[in-house]
């Protein structure tokens, strides 16, 4: 995305002065605004490179970019207006040169502020390391594939010794997951406003070889009777300290950061400013290192083990039910951020059980999500929807190759309510397939994997049995895809709105390639509908086009002129397409309102774009929602590029067909390039004949 588009995004959200803070996740820019009420999502979505816009509670606003979000974030932060006085208030003592990646100190506003804050905390603790997790998952998949092909032994089984070459490759993914608690500690501490390196150091104590060596001669026991929470109790200064294996654990660093944040703020209030650099980190570490080792760390291990054991009990009771519930629950968990704790449980399962049973059913949800996106892509190609084609292409690539669902979810699915029910059917079909397959094959734990991976096409070999998993996700994908294609992802009203916008855009684009002829003025004349066609040959010029003179747009229909505000369509009524007038027709033929060139003649007959001599670009939209008739009742007389004169018939329509279908016949006539002119205003309201003066277009001063 170019810097100009980055500037357009900042402008669309109200300018740098309206931005309280800006962060980003794997696919989205996350704005905390001072006032989000004036931000128009459609304006943001129209910016090149933007895949979608998601307004949220608490003056928050998300802009979906896709995989290039880091570059867009950097472009925005490099804008002159975002430095110094721009963005966050310059009076904030802790502001440096630009907007800090932080939320408001008072938290998210709203009725459920603490829930919103919790989800943001979880999300921001994991999102910066998604790239590392994704990269590690590909190493895991490669190792699984090599084991499947018998190139190496069962690489993740206990007691297996690999050749040093393969052992080194195996270390490439372990480097991420072994030290995952340190990464989470850094991000979570940063989120709560404390020094992230202090949080890193606190968690690092629990992962030092010397720390675990304290319990080398002590037999581990189950903490509070939970087998998955194995700890060794070691007396330190006479106080029993539980020592656990904190590798891959995420609940301990999250809980640690949640306590460190308030403590850090308290220390900054009670310690004078010129001593804070030294003593705030010192006292924070002095308090938190023992507290984390003795209390917080073991609690985190216990909480994760309890949740993991609960899910394991459900899966053991009925892998069939579990395989269906998980993919049906995930579409609602991901938007809320509830999938992050489940990811932590997956890691814990692999650490304690040697395998995970959640990711297999989760794959059914992911591929149902990607299938719905594929359906949107097919429809966008069919409907000539350039923006949605770009959005769905990027989202589908991120999903199928990276296993990332956020671009699909936020860029498409949450914007169009018709998608979710169809996607849920795909989730059910995929989960049902895993459930039935597990029963038939006698799988006690369903589809499993020995390592944490992102569910993409590239990671299919990491799941066992691979064939059952591949069939399940394939059915989930194609079920959602075909349902979306069959029923459309837009409602009829949304489709009509899109058609109007597309027609206008195509007419404007075609106009750029047309060199309008500037002719001498002649007095516009009024003709009856019955003589409109012969008049075309007799009157070659019907629009006054003089330098610094007003231009009159003539009526293409006989009927009653009404304001655009009375059109039963928000796009036209709100002037989104441009200014103009509307006609309630009494005849059945639309004529050219003047001499010009047909820029867009829809084969369905419901809309025409015309560039009149003199440069006025018109859209004539015959009826509302009539595109749904797919051309039934319309007899189109012209095609793109045709030269027309005043009174040339454009289309004849069957009023009975349109009225029987229940669509209004009111016909908006819109000036698409009004910005190139001065005032655009209807000449009159009331009865009008074909060729009567309809709209006056004043030149720019």
């Amino acid at each position: 995305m170019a810097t100009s588009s980055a500037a357009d995004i900042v402008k669309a959200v109200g300018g740098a002065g309206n931005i309280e803070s800006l962060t980003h996740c794997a696919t989205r820019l996350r704005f905390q605004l001072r006032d989000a009420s004036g931000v128009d999502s459609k304006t943001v979505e129209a910016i090149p490179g933007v895949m979608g816009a998601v307004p949220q509670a608490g003056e928050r606003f998300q802009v979906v970019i896709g995989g290039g979000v880091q570059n867009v974030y950097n472009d925005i932060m490099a804008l002159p207006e975002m430095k110094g006085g721009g963005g966050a208030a310059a009076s904030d003592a802790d502001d440096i040169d630009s907007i800090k990646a932080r939320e408001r100190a008072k938290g998210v506003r709203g009725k459920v502020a603490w829930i919103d804050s919790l989800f943001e905390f979880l999300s921001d603790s994991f999102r910066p390391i998604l790239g590392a997790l994704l990269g590690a998952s590909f190493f895991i998949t490669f190792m699984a594939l090599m084991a499947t092909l018998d190139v190496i032994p069962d690489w993740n089984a206990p007691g297996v010794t690999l050749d040093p070459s393969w052992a080194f490759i195996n270390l490439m993914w372990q480097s991420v997951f072994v030290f995952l608690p340190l990464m989470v500690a850094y991000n979570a501490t940063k989120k709560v406003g404390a020094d992230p390196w202090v949080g890193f150091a606190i968690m690092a104590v629990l992962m030092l070889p010397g720390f675990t060596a304290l319990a080398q001669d002590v037999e581990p026991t189950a903490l509070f009777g939970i087998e998955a929470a194995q700890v060794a109790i070691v007396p330190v200064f006479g106080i029993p300290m539980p020592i656990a294996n904190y590798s891959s654990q995420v609940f301990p660093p999250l809980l640690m950061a949640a306590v460190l944040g308030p403590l850090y703020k308290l220390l900054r209030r009670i310690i004078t400013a010129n001593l804070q650099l030294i003593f705030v980190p010192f006292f924070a570490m002095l308090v938190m290192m023992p507290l984390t080792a003795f209390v917080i760390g073991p609690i985190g291990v216990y909480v994760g083990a309890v949740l993991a054991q609960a899910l394991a009990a459900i899966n053991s009771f009925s892998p069939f039910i579990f395989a269906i519930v998980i993919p049906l629950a995930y579409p609602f968990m991901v938007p809320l951020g509830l999938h992050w704790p489940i990811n932590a449980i997956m890691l814990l399962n692999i650490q304690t059980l040697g395998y995970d049973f959640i990711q297999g059913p989760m794959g059914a949800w992911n591929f149902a999500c990607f299938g719905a996106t594929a359906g949107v892509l097919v429809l966008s190609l069919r409907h000539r929807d350039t923006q949605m084609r770009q959005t769905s292409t990027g989202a589908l690539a991120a999903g199928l190759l990276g296993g990332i669902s956020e671009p699909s979810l936020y860029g498409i699915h949450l914007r169009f309510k018709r998608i979710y029910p169809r996607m849920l059917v795909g989730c059910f079909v995929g989960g049902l397939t895993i459930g039935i397959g597990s029963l038939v094959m006698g799988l006690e734990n369903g589809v499993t994997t020995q390592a944490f991976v992102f569910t993409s096409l590239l990671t299919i070999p990491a799941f066992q049995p691979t064939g059952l998993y591949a069939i399940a996700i394939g059915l989930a994908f194609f079920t959602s895809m075909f349902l979306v294609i069959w029923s459309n992802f837009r409602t009829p009203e949304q489709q009509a709105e899109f058609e109007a916008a597309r027609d206008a855009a195509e007419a404007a684009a075609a106009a750029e390639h047309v060199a309008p002829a500037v002719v001498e003025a002649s007095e516009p004349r009024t003709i009856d509908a019955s003589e409109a066609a012969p008049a075309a040959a007799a009157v070659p010029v019907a629009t006054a086009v003089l330098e610094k003179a007003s231009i009159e747009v003539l009526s293409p229909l006989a009927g009653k002129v009404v304001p655009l505000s009375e059109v039963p369509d928000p796009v036209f009524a709100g002037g989104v397409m441009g200014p103009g007038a509307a006609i309630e027709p009494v005849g059945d033929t639309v004529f050219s309102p003047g001499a010009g060139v047909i820029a867009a003649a829809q084969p369905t007959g419901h809309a025409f774009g015309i560039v009149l001599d003199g440069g006025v670009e018109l859209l004539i939209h015959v009826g509302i929602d009539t595109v749904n008739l797919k051309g039934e009742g319309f007899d189109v007389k012209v095609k793109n590029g045709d030269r027309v004169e005043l009174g040339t018939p454009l289309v004849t329509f069957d009023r009975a067909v349109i009225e029987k279908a229940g669509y209004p016949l009111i016909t908006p006539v819109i000036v698409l390039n009004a910005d190139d002119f001065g005032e655009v205003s209807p000449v009159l309201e009331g009865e009008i004949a074909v060729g009567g003066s309809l709209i006056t277009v004043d030149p720019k001063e």
Side-chain angles (χ1 to χ4, degrees):
M1 179 181 288
T3 302
S4 59
S5 294
D8 290 340
I9 293 175
V10 172
K11 181 180 178 182
V13 299
N18 192 40
I19 301 174
E20 183 75 13
S21 65
L22 172 61
T23 60
H24 72 87
C25 61
T27 58
R28 287 163 283 150
L29 297 170
R30 303 153 70 91
F31 289 93
Q32 178 69 53
L33 303 176
R34 290 187 169 89
D35 181 10
S37 61
V39 180
D40 181 19
S41 297
K42 292 184 179 180
T43 300
V44 178
E45 291 169 353
I47 298 172
V50 172
M51 299 171 67
V54 186
Q56 294 188 310
E59 310 298 344
R60 292 178 297 159
F61 193 87
Q62 297 186 2
V63 180
V64 184
I65 301 296
V69 67
Q70 177 68 59
N71 295 332
V72 180
Y73 173 82
N74 293 339
D75 289 344
I76 290 178
M77 299 306 291
L79 294 173
E81 61 265 35
M82 298 295 287
K83 296 181 179 293
S91 60
D92 290 350
D94 58 344
D95 260 14
I96 305 178
D97 293 327
S98 61
I99 297 176
K100 295 283 188 176
R102 58 174 173 79
E103 297 293 341
R104 298 184 180 213
K106 59 185 176 182
V108 181
R109 294 187 296 272
K111 296 181 180 179
V112 287
W114 71 270
I115 295 179
D116 289 339
S117 298
L118 173 62
F119 292 156
E120 286 292 321
F121 173 67
L122 292 172
S123 176
D124 287 352
S125 297
F126 285 95
R127 63 171 178 76
I129 58 178
L130 283 179
L133 291 172
L134 179 59
S137 73
F138 287 153
F139 287 118
I140 292 170
T141 304
F142 175 72
M143 293 294 290
L145 180 61
M146 293 298 100
T148 301
L149 298 176
D150 293 328
V151 176
I152 59 174
D154 192 354
W155 56 284
N156 209 26
V160 172
T161 301
L162 295 174
D163 177 87
S165 301
W166 290 103
F168 175 72
I169 296 177
N170 206 36
L171 292 175
M172 292 181 180
W173 70 265
Q174 291 183 22
S175 66
V176 175
F177 291 103
V178 169
F179 296 107
L180 184 63
L182 300 179
M183 302 178 188
V184 174
Y186 180 94
N187 294 329
T189 305
K190 185 177 181 180
K191 177 64 180 177
V192 297
D195 187 337
W197 289 113
V198 171
F200 183 98
I202 293 169
M203 194 64 212
V205 172
L206 277 62
M207 302 192 68
L208 286 172
F211 179 81
T212 55
L214 295 175
Q216 62 182 356
D217 297 325
V218 180
E219 186 70 23
T221 60
L223 186 63
F224 299 119
I226 300 297
E227 289 298 326
Q230 293 287 324
V231 297
I233 306 299
V234 177
V236 176
F237 296 110
I239 303 173
M241 182 173 69
I243 296 180
N245 179 10
Y246 289 98
S247 173
S248 300
Q249 294 276 357
V250 297
F251 287 103
L254 289 173
L255 293 176
M256 178 275 296
V259 177
L260 176 61
L263 174 63
Y264 219 81
K265 293 175 183 176
L266 174 63
L267 292 173
R268 293 184 67 176
R269 282 200 300 267
I270 63 179
I271 296 177
T272 183
N274 58 345
L275 297 177
Q276 288 182 2
L277 178 63
I278 301 173
F279 289 105
V280 169
F282 168 69
F283 283 113
M285 295 168 71
L286 180 64
V287 172
M288 291 301 300
M289 282 181 174
L291 184 62
T292 303
F294 279 90
V295 181
I296 295 176
I299 289 177
V301 171
Y302 179 76
V303 169
V306 169
L307 293 174
Q309 188 163 304
L311 288 175
I314 297 173
N315 188 55
S316 298
F317 172 75
S318 176
F320 177 82
I321 295 176
F322 190 84
I324 296 175
V325 170
I326 287 295
L328 288 176
Y330 254 81
F332 305 100
M333 294 167 60
V334 174
L336 295 175
L338 289 175
H339 61 303
W340 292 116
I342 303 300
N343 290 344
I345 294 173
M346 295 174 188
L347 292 167
L348 185 61
N349 286 337
I350 293 168
Q351 182 188 49
T352 58
L353 303 176
Y355 64 88
D356 174 61
F357 50 84
I358 303 174
Q359 295 174 72
M362 186 193 73
W365 129 252
N366 258 6
F367 276 87
C369 176
F370 307 151
T373 302
V376 171
L377 175 59
V378 172
L379 289 175
S380 67
L381 293 170
R382 182 183 299 173
H383 296 157
R384 306 192 310 281
D385 187 346
T386 302
Q387 183 182 29
M388 192 54 65
R389 184 188 72 236
Q390 295 172 346
T391 299
S392 55
T393 299
L396 190 60
L400 294 180
L401 300 179
I404 301 175
S405 61
E406 279 82 354
S408 293
L409 193 64
Y410 290 98
I412 304 173
H413 302 346
L414 290 176
R415 295 167 55 192
F416 300 97
K417 296 181 180 179
R418 292 173 66 90
I419 292 180
Y420 250 63
R422 284 111 185 124
M423 183 173 64
L424 287 174
V425 176
C427 292
F428 176 78
V429 170
L432 182 65
T433 303
I434 291 177
I436 294 175
S438 299
L439 291 176
V440 172
M441 301 174 69
L443 304 175
E444 294 183 0
N445 299 302
V447 173
T448 61
T449 178
Q450 292 181 308
F452 182 88
V453 296
F454 285 67
T455 49
S456 69
L457 286 176
L458 302 179
T459 60
I460 292 176
F463 292 88
Q464 298 297 329
T466 304
L468 174 60
Y469 176 74
I471 293 172
I473 62 175
L475 289 175
F477 181 91
F478 287 108
T479 298
S480 293
M481 174 180 172
F482 290 133
L483 286 176
V484 170
I485 293 174
W486 174 69
S487 63
N488 200 353
F489 61 95
R490 290 187 173 99
T491 63
E493 294 76 13
Q494 290 173 331
Q495 184 66 27
E497 180 179 338
F498 158 72
E499 294 278 357
R502 183 201 62 193
D503 295 345
E506 290 179 347
E512 295 179 1
H513 302 287
V514 178
V518 179
V519 299
E520 294 192 355
S522 65
E523 192 69 18
R525 47 169 288 198
T526 301
I527 58 177
D528 294 329
S530 60
E531 62 176 355
V539 186
V541 179
T543 307
V545 186
L546 285 177
E547 186 178 359
K548 296 184 180 180
S550 295
I551 302 171
E552 285 187 289
V553 176
L554 309 182
S555 177
L557 287 159
K560 179 182 178 182
V561 180
V562 297
L564 280 180
S565 59
E566 295 186 14
V567 177
D569 182 284
V571 175
F572 294 115
V576 175
M577 304 300 301
I583 304 170
E584 295 178 349
V586 295
D588 60 2
T589 303
V590 179
F591 300 96
S592 174
V597 176
I598 300 296
Q602 298 302 320
T604 54
H606 76 286
F608 296 86
I610 305 176
V611 181
L612 297 177
D613 291 349
V616 175
E617 300 170 10
L618 288 183
L619 169 66
I620 303 173
H621 200 281
V622 187
I624 303 301
D625 295 338
T626 47
V627 63
N628 297 328
L629 293 173
K630 301 184 183 337
E632 182 183 358
F634 289 86
D635 182 12
V636 180
K637 308 292 186 182
V638 293
K639 61 182 183 298
N640 291 356
D642 281 358
R643 173 76 185 177
V644 294
E645 306 296 337
L646 172 66
T648 300
L650 304 181
V651 64
T652 299
F653 52 88
D654 189 331
R655 299 177 63 95
V657 171
I658 298 173
E659 291 169 351
K660 182 179 180 181
Y663 298 126
L665 271 166
I666 189 170
T667 299
V669 180
I670 307 296
V671 177
L672 298 173
N673 60 338
D675 290 343
D676 296 339
F677 297 91
E679 184 178 357
V680 177
S681 56
V683 174
L684 55 84
E685 294 181 17
E687 301 301 323
I688 193 171
V690 176
S693 296
L694 179 65
I695 300 170
T696 298
V697 181
D698 293 336
K700 263 190 176 180
E701 295 183 0

